[in-house]
Amino acid sequence: MVNTAYGEKIADDSKEATPTDLAPDVEEGTHEPQKLSRGLQGRHMQMIAIGGSIGAGLFVGSGSSLQSGGPASLLLGFIIIGVMLLCTVQALGELAVLYPVNGAFYVYGVRFIDPAWGFAMGWQYAIGWLITLPFEITAAGLTIDYWHHYNIGIWIAVFLTTLIIVQFFGVKGYGEVEFVLGIIKIIAVLGFIIFGIVVDCGGVPGDDRGYIGFRYWADTEHGNRAFRNGFKGFCSVFVNAAFAFGGTELVGLAAAEAANPRKSLPKATKQVFWRITGFYVVSLLIMGLIVPNSSPDLLNSSGANTKASPFVLAIEYAGVKGLPSVFNAVITISVMSVANSCTYGSTRTMQALAQGGMGPKFLSWIDKKGRPVWPVIIQMAFGLLAFINEAETGSTVFNWLLALTGLSSFFVWGSICLSHIRFRAGWKAAGRSLDDLPFRSQVGVYGSYLGLFLVVCSLAATFYVDLFPIGGTPTGGAESFFEGYIAAPIAITLFVFWKLWTRDRGFLVKVHEMDLDTGRRDFQDIPADEDPEPRNMSVGRRVSRALF
């Protein structure tokens, strides 16, 4: 059973609540004295959904996937992960509109799957963002090397200080920063797509390649091909694709701080697939057409090596002066945006875990402005790990720290889908109608089954390519395997720890014992014309709304 501190109800959801509002629980009528600020408006939620996940994973990490798997594998891998995200975010939207509770997917795991599994997913998610922050700050510092070489420690200090300043403004600071940076990233992607089409058609005077078309998909003479390294190359795309899409689920985590989640959250979740996947798939298709996948510049590309960004290389190969620097600046902005998301994701999850009795109690404290102070301090302290780069063994330490987060996105997305499946079973067992749900997943419970299936397939593909790395052997790739798959045993360890700590010998919350009321918002008093999506809307109109 989840602590009733999560419970909250606002009778008039169209009215923005303040941090000091006392919201009674639907079921028990209790009051919550400390609340996160409801400072996120609809435009913030939409930009978090649309632009929040566009970062170094797309702009830089896609380079290694292009080199190892080829443009066709790259495209197919991102499409598969995009479908997975469609199913996941739709499931999350249904749960988050009905239960806009602090902690979101961690709470759903506790309530609908198993408390120990929710504990494991919550802490793995929080730790993942904690460790990702210093890496992103480092990557932002390294982007400066594109123009001039400075001591990276200087830029680490500058970027970390900037993030600390943003935290003083609470959730509104996070929302506004993501809104502005998101617009810049979207404009950059759209600009690249137009630029890439011109290059591919031979419209750049300084590019002596002329018309390119699909030349690099079948240019075996120069080592370019649509699929590289066979099935291993295809499997190698999934981790990079998951890293690139990582953060999309933050729109569900932000529901607890949304001014009007019933209106803004469904609209934001519907845009995730049509717009994010559109940006990713179209931009990667164009990039794969104009960048030779056999280019040595793509070798060993990583999230911190912006000089290997295929997007920057595409502009350089076209011979356009000045524009590579502009796009490198966009990459710097994107990395800082992800760093901003790191801070939000980890602090809200830690606060929720502590509030639910699954973490140190002091982490649950929220100040008068609705900010989880101690989690923010801990996150900023973890940011100091970026200075490890000053040491000779810094890169080795960093690789192992990042290994802790390698598969965390897959586990979180799979948990969301499973939570939705289990919730639907509990809702049906309680004799409740789907018509009582304020928002329903457009792909239904079958979409969650598909999402969970794709997560399992992605984990299997990752296991295979980590065990049998491209160009290596199982024995020689032992270190690579543990770096890539260590997140799995960590999740199992956290699960077992909580089982032993609570002496809980059971497994899975029984369907008829599920808590379906704590934290549920009552929307019965809201006029029908304020419904974000009428239940009798046709499929065609649903798609139209999602697109436009």
Side-chain angles (χ1 to χ4, degrees), residues 351-519:
Q351 192 277 333
L353 284 161
Q355 186 173 297
M358 290 185 167
K361 189 175 181 180
F362 74 93
L363 294 177
S364 65
W365 182 65
I366 301 172
D367 67 6
K368 294 181 179 180
K369 293 186 178 181
R371 298 172 299 195
V373 178
W374 283 108
V376 170
I377 292 174
I378 291 174
Q379 175 68 89
M380 293 300 103
F382 263 78
L384 297 175
L385 287 174
F387 288 104
I388 290 177
N389 288 277
E390 295 293 312
E392 293 182 1
T393 58
S395 60
T396 302
V397 175
F398 245 132
N399 287 338
W400 281 103
L401 287 175
L402 287 173
L404 300 175
T405 68
L407 300 175
S408 60
S409 292
F410 286 130
F411 284 112
V412 169
W413 298 337
S415 296
I416 292 172
C417 291
L418 182 57
S419 294
H420 181 238
I421 293 169
R422 298 272 299 162
F423 158 74
R424 282 290 188 94
W427 194 259
K428 181 179 180 180
R432 305 189 184 188
S433 171
L434 294 180
D435 291 334
D436 295 333
L437 299 176
F439 171 72
R440 275 186 284 174
S441 167
Q442 293 174 296
V443 294
V445 69
Y446 294 106
S448 294
Y449 277 110
L450 175 60
L452 184 60
F453 172 75
L454 291 176
V455 167
V456 173
C457 289
S458 298
L459 287 172
T462 304
F463 182 86
Y464 169 72
V465 79
D466 281 336
L467 189 61
F468 300 96
I470 296 174
T473 62
T475 304
E479 182 176 345
S480 174
F481 172 77
F482 283 108
E483 283 187 7
Y485 229 80
I486 195 174
I490 288 177
I492 296 173
T493 300
L494 289 169
F495 176 84
V496 173
F497 167 79
W498 191 250
K499 283 292 184 182
L500 295 175
W501 181 265
T502 58
R503 298 178 181 177
D504 178 14
R505 297 182 179 180
F507 182 68
L508 290 179
V509 177
K510 292 181 174 58
V511 172
H512 63 276
E513 294 180 357
M514 288 181 180
D515 177 12
L516 300 174
D517 291 306
T518 301

Side-chain angles (χ1 to χ4, degrees), residues 122-345:
W123 277 111
Q124 186 182 57
Y125 191 73
I127 292 171
W129 281 126
L130 281 172
I131 295 172
T132 303
L133 177 63
F135 173 78
E136 295 295 339
I137 293 175
T138 300
L142 289 174
T143 58
I144 307 299
D145 276 352
Y146 187 87
W147 297 286
H148 196 284
H149 178 69
Y150 294 97
N151 186 314
I152 191 174
I154 297 175
W155 292 108
I156 289 174
V158 170
F159 291 133
L160 186 59
T161 301
T162 302
L163 286 174
I164 292 174
I165 293 174
V166 171
Q167 301 314 306
F168 280 107
F169 296 95
V171 69
K172 285 190 176 181
Y174 165 71
E176 292 296 341
V177 168
E178 284 303 300
F179 182 76
V180 174
L181 299 186
I183 290 177
I184 295 174
K185 290 187 288 185
I186 288 173
I187 292 174
V189 172
L190 292 176
F192 177 84
I193 291 173
I194 297 173
F195 169 82
I197 293 174
V198 174
V199 173
D200 192 57
C201 294
V204 178
D207 190 350
D208 57 7
R209 293 176 295 178
Y211 175 76
I212 300 175
F214 283 82
R215 180 190 308 172
Y216 298 132
W217 285 49
D219 182 20
T220 55
E221 181 180 350
H222 296 91
N224 295 296
R225 53 183 66 88
F227 294 93
R228 297 174 61 88
N229 298 304
F231 185 64
K232 288 184 181 179
F234 175 70
C235 291
S236 68
V237 174
F238 287 101
V239 172
N240 283 332
F243 177 73
F245 277 107
T248 306
E249 71 285 340
L250 283 174
V251 68
L253 194 66
E257 296 178 85
N260 189 351
R262 193 199 184 192
K263 181 179 180 181
S264 60
L265 194 57
K267 188 174 183 180
T269 56
K270 287 184 291 184
Q271 291 172 339
V272 168
F273 177 78
W274 301 110
R275 295 188 177 180
I276 288 291
T277 305
F279 288 139
Y280 275 76
V281 172
V282 175
S283 63
L284 290 173
L285 170 62
I286 298 298
M287 183 269 289
L289 292 177
I290 61 179
V291 176
N293 49 81
S294 62
S295 171
D297 296 325
L298 293 172
L299 293 174
N300 301 317
S301 60
S302 66
N305 183 9
T306 58
K307 292 182 180 180
S309 167
F311 289 80
V312 175
L313 291 175
I315 300 171
E316 291 182 343
Y317 291 165
V320 180
K321 304 296 182 183
L323 195 55
S325 292
V326 174
F327 211 90
N328 190 71
V330 172
I331 294 176
T332 305
I333 290 173
S334 301
V335 173
M336 284 304 297
S337 173
V338 175
N340 190 41
S341 296
C342 289
T343 304
Y344 183 82

Side-chain angles (χ1 to χ4, degrees), residues 6 102-111 118-119 122 349 352-353 356-358:
Y6 295 122
N102 186 21
F105 13 92
Y106 135 69
V107 177
Y108 305 146
V110 169
R111 199 180 283 188
F119 170 83
T349 304
L353 284 161
M358 290 185 167

